[in-house]
Amino acid sequence: MQPIRTYGDPVLKTNATDVTEIDGKIAKLVSDMIETMREAPGVGLAAPQVGVEKRIFVYDIGEGPRTVLNPKLTEFDGEWVYEEGCLSVPGLYWDIVRPNKVHLEGIDMDGNPLSIEGSELLGRVLQHEVDHLDGILLLERLDESQRKQAKKALRKRALKLD
Ligand code: ZN
């Protein structure tokens, strides 16, 4: 179990780098990430959320945990509104429009190529997690009025925490 980095932590804004060798360190990181996602609980977790700038994410939409290394979204189709949240911006949710269906390519923990078609929840999770690897938080996917409300909510929360 690893602490989850939250909004304001600079690691969430960095561009993660590709995994070049799937060694014991990566295996340990991935099993830690799966445990952390399960405990949170969440449907996805990207390595920067536990402070590691590597292109790795895990997800579980109810079919068991899956791991993706070096993902790339190659196709987008349609549009879907979903109330989206993020473990790094806990307790806040917004209706966000994104493409409904995506195609993702990457590699699995054995170094084999992965090709995943995802729509609705799976499509959403794949897009959300790849965003994390590009240093993008869901706040950047909000429209202008949502963003204003989000900033207010986050300010209020910061005051309470300090
Ligand atoms: Zn997130």
Side-chain angles (χ1 to χ4, degrees):
M1 185 70 197
Q2 299 277 331
I4 295 176
R5 307 298 182 92
T6 54
Y7 175 74
D9 190 315
V11 74
L12 295 172
K13 290 202 145 190
T14 57
N15 213 329
T17 55
D18 274 344
V19 175
T20 50
E21 203 193 336
I22 307 167
D23 54 14
K25 255 172 89 178
I26 297 289
K28 166 85 171 70
L29 169 67
V30 163
S31 80
D32 269 358
M33 284 171 63
I34 290 171
E35 198 194 329
T36 303
M37 170 177 69
R38 193 173 283 150
E39 289 288 321
V43 290
L45 188 75
Q49 293 181 278
V50 292
V52 179
E53 297 170 27
K54 289 265 178 239
R55 296 188 77 82
I56 303 171
F57 72 81
V58 296
Y59 68 94
D60 186 348
I61 58 160
E63 295 166 353
R66 306 280 155 85
T67 304
V68 182
L69 311 179
N70 304 347
K72 261 196 190 85
L73 291 169
T74 54
E75 277 170 52
F76 302 86
D77 197 30
E79 228 178 58
W80 194 52
V81 183
Y82 180 71
E83 191 179 62
E84 195 173 324
C86 179
L87 294 174
S88 294
V89 192
L92 296 173
Y93 301 86
W94 296 275
D95 277 337
I96 298 178
V97 188
R98 291 186 193 249
N100 182 8
K101 196 173 154 193
V102 295
H103 187 97
L104 179 141
E105 282 171 20
I107 56 172
D108 67 15
M109 283 298 285
D110 298 317
N112 297 317
L114 264 181
S115 170
I116 304 168
E117 291 278 340
S119 59
E120 299 196 348
L121 180 61
L122 177 56
R124 184 59 58 113
V125 170
L126 300 177
Q127 293 175 72
H128 182 109
E129 301 312 325
V130 171
D131 267 359
H132 273 303
L133 306 181
D134 294 332
I136 296 169
L137 276 182
L138 83 170
L139 297 166
E140 291 175 54
R141 300 293 185 193
L142 303 180
D143 66 31
E144 217 172 298
S145 79
Q146 284 175 320
R147 198 177 304 201
K148 266 187 204 149
Q149 287 179 341
K151 281 200 175 141
K152 227 185 258 172
L154 290 167
R155 256 200 308 271
K156 238 187 223 164
R157 177 168 300 183
L159 289 174
K160 248 182 241 159
L161 290 176
D162 298 341

